[in-house]
């Protein structure tokens, strides 16, 4: 498979006249088609709802698009809750799957109608104390421990993950909730990240469904919703086969019919909290080659850096790169594509075969629509880029302006910095 960008060189040449590089650009058409496909894949389940993981791409314009397809939001912090509220998400449309959460954030989540998903058994009394009483609806996050495997190998290592209740704690937790008057119960689990296989959700679903049946039998608690959380991946590499969401939906249904329906639990709602799958492929980071360096290796220096996209530096993650306008040129040059941070891991690609790059070429870094812009930081005093939306009609809309030095220094008002510098200079 070749990976084709959703913008052409001609479009980019036009866009940079108004919005200089670097910037993230998102593809409205792709986002909509994917959201629709997901909704259809789970339409067999009456209560189905996707709660978009805001941390992947916290932009209100994109969240509003997903809202049109019935999505809610999944939040990990107060500011994400605030953003959800600002977009008009309300009662029952916000999941708060946080961890190590301050009391004030639980209070806020409860106030705006969020569903709280607790990460630990000790958080039950903590929440009760914070709110005065427990909410009517509560969800618990399950971590069975050990190693999570599917037919073709190890997926991840939940036994090493800081999240969730153990099996024993989970059963005890539901008993506690029932005793304390909770009326609606949810179960959540996130066992593997970026799974590029159609097996992950069905295997996870089977585990959770069987656990839910046991909880009904042993605790007398009927689970109302099961949250399969995030983890459906995307093909970052050109040789990877994309997930088939319709097949995944159908396979989850099979397990549902096999495990839940015979147990008299045929009205359990399925929730998902996808982030990467919803947005990842529909974002590009566009950057300009501004330097070339011939030393012990061949380097191309660009005007973006790890501040704009941290995944390669943080996880050694692969992001495909297209040189705009050279889509069909032979990849006969080997480069390290690097940013300007004083950190040697600030490399978008290492030993990557690409067409010959000239200064001024636009590089399109693929699959930056999730956990891209949002992971950004301000190291080396670097400013965060703009975010643009390529609309279905081909026009471009600014959905977040680039940071300015004024934004960067905003928290130095205690130093009276705004009277010491000329910000127009
Ligand atoms: C990060 C996260 C998600 C989204 O994960 P993706 O890999 O982007 O799908 C969902 N739920 C929780 C609790 C998360 O922490």
């Amino acid at each position: 498979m070749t990976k084709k960008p959703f913008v052409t060189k001609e479009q980019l040449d036009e866009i940079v006249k108004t919005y200089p590089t670097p910037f993230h650009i998102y593809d409205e058409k792709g986002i909509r088609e994917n959201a629709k496909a997901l909704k259809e894949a789970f339409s067999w389940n009456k209560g189905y709802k996707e709660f978009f993981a805001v941390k992947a791409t916290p932009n209100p314009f994109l969240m509003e698009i997903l809202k049109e397809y019935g999505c809610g939001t999944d939040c990990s912090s107060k500011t994400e809750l605030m953003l959800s509220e600002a977009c008009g998400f309300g009662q029952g449309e916000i999941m708060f799957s946080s961890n190590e959460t301050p009391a004030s954030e639980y209070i806020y989540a409860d106030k705006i109608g969020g569903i709280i998903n607790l990460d630990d058994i000790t958080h039950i009394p903590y929440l009760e104390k914070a709110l005065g009483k427990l909410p009517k609806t509560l969800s618990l996050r399950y971590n069975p421990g050990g190693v999570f495997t599917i037919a073709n190998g190890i997926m991840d290592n939940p036994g090493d993950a800081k999240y969730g209740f153990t099996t024993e704690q989970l059963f005890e937790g539901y008993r506690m909730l029932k005793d304390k008057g909770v009326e609606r119960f949810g179960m959540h689990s996130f066992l593997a990240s970026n799974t590029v296989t159609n097996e992950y959700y069905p295997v996870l679903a089977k585990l959770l469904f069987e656990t839910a049946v046991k909880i009904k039998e042993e605790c007398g608690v009927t689970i109302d919703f099961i949250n399969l959380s995030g983890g459906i991946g995307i093909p970052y590499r050109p040789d990877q086969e994309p997930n088939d969401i319709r097949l995944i939906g159908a396979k989850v249904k099979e397990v549902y019919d096999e495990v839940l329906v015979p147990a008299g639990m045929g009205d359990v709602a399925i929730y998902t909290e996808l982030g990467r799958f919803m947005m990842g492929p529909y974002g590009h980071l566009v950057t300009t080659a501004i330097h070339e360096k011939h030393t012990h290796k061949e380097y191309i220096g660009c005007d973006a850096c790890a501040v704009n996209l941290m995944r390669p530096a943080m996880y050694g993650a692969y992001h495909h790169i297209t040189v705009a306008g050279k889509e069909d040129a032979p990849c006969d040059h080997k480069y390290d594509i690097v940013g300007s941070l004083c950190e040697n891991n600030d490399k978008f690609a290492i030993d990557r075969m690409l067409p010959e790059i000239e200064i001024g070429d636009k590089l399109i870094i693929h699959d930056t629509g999730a956990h891209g812009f949002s992971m950004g930081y301000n190291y080396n005093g670097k400013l965060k880029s703009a975010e643009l939306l390529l609309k279905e009609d081909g026009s471009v809309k600014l959905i977040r302006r680039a940071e300015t030095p004024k934004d960067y220094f905003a928290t130095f008002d205690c130093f009276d910095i705004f009277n010491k510098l000329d910000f127009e200079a």
Side-chain angles (χ1 to χ4, degrees):
M1 288 252 298
T2 55
K3 275 176 95 73
K4 240 178 85 82
F6 57 78
V7 280
T8 62
K9 177 175 187 297
E10 290 65 39
Q11 281 173 302
L12 289 177
D13 287 344
E14 230 7 77
I15 294 167
V16 297
K17 289 180 190 163
T18 314
Y19 306 109
T21 58
F23 53 77
H24 283 267
I25 186 164
Y26 303 96
D27 174 26
E28 179 176 13
K29 184 162 175 282
I31 293 168
R32 285 184 182 278
E33 285 171 0
N34 185 62
K36 188 162 165 282
L38 173 70
K39 191 177 173 186
E40 286 168 8
F42 284 93
S43 60
W44 55 267
N45 182 257
K46 204 154 58 66
Y48 174 72
K49 196 171 182 70
E50 150 71 3
F51 294 82
F52 171 61
V54 176
K55 74 167 194 267
T57 329
N59 187 299
F61 292 94
L62 303 179
M63 289 157 68
E64 278 179 351
I65 292 175
L66 294 180
K67 195 162 188 272
E68 289 180 38
Y69 297 86
C71 296
T73 65
D74 164 45
C75 301
S76 59
S77 65
K78 179 160 184 187
T79 48
E80 291 181 1
L81 291 166
M82 292 169 76
L83 198 53
S84 302
E85 192 189 11
C87 291
F89 293 97
Q91 192 74 40
E93 295 178 320
I94 301 170
M95 189 67 62
F96 191 38
S97 297
S98 58
N99 68 98
E100 312 314 335
T101 311
S104 60
E105 301 197 7
Y106 281 137
I107 294 169
Y108 187 77
D110 184 59
K111 195 182 91 185
I112 64 172
I115 302 168
I116 293 172
N117 181 27
L118 292 177
D119 186 64
D120 188 65
I121 193 158
T122 63
H123 300 170
I124 297 173
Y126 184 88
L127 180 68
E128 189 175 28
K129 184 156 173 261
L131 299 182
K133 64 174 181 10
L134 290 180
K136 292 265 174 278
T137 301
L138 260 182
S139 176
L140 305 181
R141 181 168 184 166
Y142 179 34
N143 179 344
V147 175
F148 186 68
T149 49
I150 58 167
N152 55 357
I154 294 178
M155 293 246 68
D156 221 321
N157 197 353
D160 269 351
K162 67 172 178 170
Y163 312 105
F165 291 54
T166 66
T167 308
E168 222 171 72
Q169 290 171 340
L170 189 74
F171 282 68
E172 191 186 340
Y174 286 116
R175 285 193 194 97
M176 282 167 76
L177 299 191
K178 189 178 151 206
D179 289 347
K180 290 173 185 290
V182 171
E183 293 168 6
R184 278 187 82 231
F185 304 87
M187 187 195 295
H188 169 285
S189 195
F190 190 167
L191 300 186
S193 195
N194 191 31
T195 58
V196 193
T197 156
N198 296 321
E199 295 305 316
Y200 170 62
Y201 256 15
V203 172
L204 173 68
K206 185 156 201 254
L207 171 76
L208 298 186
F209 294 169
E210 286 172 350
T211 307
V213 172
K214 271 196 213 133
I215 285 165
K216 185 179 175 192
E217 289 164 2
E218 292 179 28
C219 312
V221 165
T222 304
I223 302 291
D224 294 274
F225 57 88
I226 292 179
N227 185 342
L228 302 177
S229 187
I232 295 194
I234 59 167
Y236 284 100
R237 292 176 181 273
D239 59 357
Q240 285 177 308
E241 187 71 28
N243 286 317
D244 178 347
I245 197 63
R246 284 170 214 276
L247 183 62
I248 291 172
K251 286 186 166 203
V252 172
K253 181 177 190 302
E254 267 175 39
V255 186
Y256 189 99
D257 290 343
E258 177 195 323
V259 180
L260 287 180
V261 173
M265 296 174 73
D267 53 6
V268 173
I270 301 297
Y271 291 170
T272 56
E273 276 174 354
L274 298 166
R276 193 186 316 272
F277 181 76
M278 302 308 288
M279 288 291 172
Y282 315 111
H284 291 328
L285 171 59
V286 180
T287 178
T288 304
I290 57 172
H291 292 289
E292 57 183 295
K293 181 168 168 156
H294 317 279
T295 56
H296 308 290
K297 294 184 87 172
E298 292 295 300
Y299 292 99
I300 294 294
C302 52
D303 61 1
C305 62
V307 159
N308 306 105
L309 177 68
M310 198 180 186
R311 297 186 72 259
M314 188 153 168
Y315 317 110
Y318 180 94
H319 279 266
H320 199 65
I321 296 177
T322 298
V323 184
K326 298 182 178 174
E327 285 79 358
D328 300 320
C331 293
D332 52 5
H333 283 65
K334 192 195 264 185
Y335 294 113
D336 281 16
I337 307 293
V338 304
S340 54
L341 293 190
C342 306
E343 275 289 348
N344 197 42
N345 67 3
D346 186 13
K347 297 183 175 184
F348 292 119
I350 297 171
D351 295 332
R352 182 75 57 89
M353 295 307 295
L354 288 166
E356 182 169 19
I357 296 173
E358 289 150 278
I359 301 298
D361 277 350
K362 303 283 174 287
L363 307 183
I364 299 169
I365 305 180
H366 291 243
D367 301 311
T368 66
H371 313 294
F373 179 97
S374 61
M375 265 192 193
Y377 55 121
N378 282 113
Y379 195 44
N380 285 199
K382 299 288 177 182
L383 304 177
K384 298 181 83 180
S385 79
E387 292 181 289
L388 308 176
L389 180 64
L390 177 66
K391 308 231 317 175
E392 284 183 296
D393 65 9
S395 66
V396 169
K397 178 176 168 159
L398 180 69
I399 57 171
R400 184 173 199 145
R401 67 163 171 80
E403 268 184 353
T404 65
K406 269 192 175 167
D407 298 317
Y408 180 73
F409 291 128
T411 45
F412 280 142
D413 42 3
C414 48
F415 182 66
D416 195 27
I417 198 159
F418 291 98
N419 288 317
K420 293 185 179 166
L421 288 174
D422 175 7
F423 284 88
E424 307 309 318

